[in-house]
Amino acid sequence: MDLTKGAVREICTDAVFERGERYLAKDRILDIHRIDTTVTAVVTGSRQYDVRVDLAVNGFDPWCDCPYHGPEACKHVVAVLLRCADDCPPDEGDRLDAALEAADADDLRGFLRETLATDAAVRERFFARFGESPTRSVEDLRAAIDREFEETNPDYFVVFEPIDFSEWFDLAGEYRDQGRYASAAAVYRALVESLDENMERVDGAYDHFSQRFTRALDGYVDCVAAGDPDAEEAADAVAFLEDRTTSGTSLLSEHFERAATELEEALTERRDQ
């Protein structure tokens, strides 16, 4: 991982970069850990904020639960990345592997079952990888994602703070790893629909939501294109994207138009192979 200050500068404004430098100099990072390329940290400001970055991903896929309203990454993310550039925390992956290797199988199974019973997001990913659970419908997934908008700011219609959609992207990624592209496409489509319908209530953190929308839209196109190009689902996907160019949020119409064109071209190319 060749992390440089120059790379950090590319994902934030100059003002935010300077604030991130000050946060690092003032030891505002209270806790920081790394497993493989994923870094999690707690950064103190007006309160304590959770930060997560992936050092192996272009742009670092940053997430922070602060109410930053500006473009690109916030000062908490910048502080964590600068800390990693200066003194990257040790990788605890080997320690984790050793603990898993040494754990008693029954104890490990008990711990896993308890965790799965109480954490719905982890449970869903577990079923995606190891179970034979049926794919949840787009409607069910969409309803669950919509609730995150409602719960973020329950007293107001407007959403001011970023929402962590990582559990849904992780779930879609799990399905893709298993070659279950239709299941992954359902998750991505639910994200696309929810973000499209709720984008007008967003007042702040616009870059955060637009990045998640683009990521979900690209994931949807990729997964539909990976399936049967002559299937009814493929035609439905193109029709859905074309319809959203006029019926969806006007700010996103060009994105839907681009996605519809890319998907149609990918499906046509596969049919001609």
Side-chain angles (χ1 to χ4, degrees):
M1 295 175 290
D2 186 20
L3 174 59
T4 65
K5 290 186 178 181
V8 180
R9 278 188 176 275
E10 292 180 0
I11 68 163
C12 65
T13 65
D14 290 341
V16 168
F17 184 84
E18 291 176 3
R19 295 188 187 108
E21 285 186 313
R22 289 199 294 269
Y23 263 53
L24 178 62
K26 293 180 179 180
D27 294 325
R28 293 292 189 94
I29 300 175
L30 303 183
D31 194 26
I32 186 166
H33 297 278
R34 176 165 67 97
I35 299 291
D36 300 328
T37 63
T38 300
V39 175
T40 56
V42 176
V43 181
T44 181
S46 54
R47 66 173 178 83
Q48 293 183 3
Y49 298 106
D50 292 321
V51 173
R52 182 180 61 249
V53 295
D54 189 337
L55 304 182
V57 174
N58 184 33
F60 308 112
D61 194 20
W63 180 83
C64 179
D65 64 352
C66 75
Y68 175 60
H69 295 170
E72 305 179 285
C74 68
K75 59 190 175 185
H76 310 105
V77 164
V78 170
V80 170
L81 287 171
L82 290 175
R83 160 65 192 277
C84 291
D86 289 339
D87 181 21
C88 197
D91 184 1
E92 299 178 58
D94 289 343
R95 178 187 173 196
L96 179 61
D97 290 339
L100 289 170
E101 186 70 26
D104 176 78
D106 290 336
D107 288 344
L108 185 59
R109 185 175 290 107
F111 173 81
L112 179 59
R113 195 181 193 287
E114 180 181 346
T115 300
L116 294 173
T118 56
D119 191 321
V122 176
R123 183 168 64 247
E124 195 73 27
R125 289 185 62 194
F126 177 83
F127 282 133
R129 173 168 294 194
F130 300 105
E132 296 297 330
S133 61
T135 303
R136 293 169 66 184
S137 68
V138 173
E139 291 74 17
D140 286 345
L141 291 162
R142 160 77 185 276
I145 298 168
D146 283 344
R147 283 196 295 273
E148 298 201 26
F149 281 92
E150 301 299 332
E151 294 167 358
T152 296
N153 195 14
D155 296 328
Y156 300 94
F157 176 77
V158 177
V159 174
F160 298 101
E161 300 186 3
I163 296 175
D164 184 5
F165 299 106
S166 59
E167 71 169 278
W168 306 107
F169 285 110
D170 289 345
L171 177 60
E174 203 69 69
Y175 282 132
R176 292 180 77 166
D177 290 344
Q178 301 303 311
R180 298 172 63 181
Y181 295 108
S183 298
V187 179
Y188 285 129
R189 177 160 170 170
L191 279 163
V192 167
E193 290 187 9
S194 184
L195 284 162
D196 181 31
E197 293 294 332
N198 287 287
M199 194 66 76
E200 290 186 350
R201 69 193 296 183
V202 170
D203 186 13
Y206 296 108
D207 195 55
H208 166 84
F209 287 101
S210 64
Q211 286 180 0
R212 272 57 183 180
F213 172 80
T214 300
R215 180 180 175 187
L217 188 63
D218 291 344
Y220 180 61
V221 169
D222 290 345
C223 288
V224 173
D228 183 354
D230 296 314
E232 182 179 346
E233 291 79 8
D236 173 72
V238 174
F240 161 71
L241 294 171
E242 291 177 340
D243 176 71
R244 287 281 169 148
T245 62
T246 55
S247 66
T249 304
S250 58
L251 294 173
L252 302 176
S253 61
E254 291 184 3
H255 296 279
F256 280 115
E257 184 176 3
R258 169 189 61 80
T261 300
E262 290 179 357
L263 178 57
E264 185 61 60
E265 289 176 351
L267 294 172
T268 299
E269 183 178 348
R270 290 201 60 200
R271 294 189 192 104
D272 293 341
Q273 289 179 348

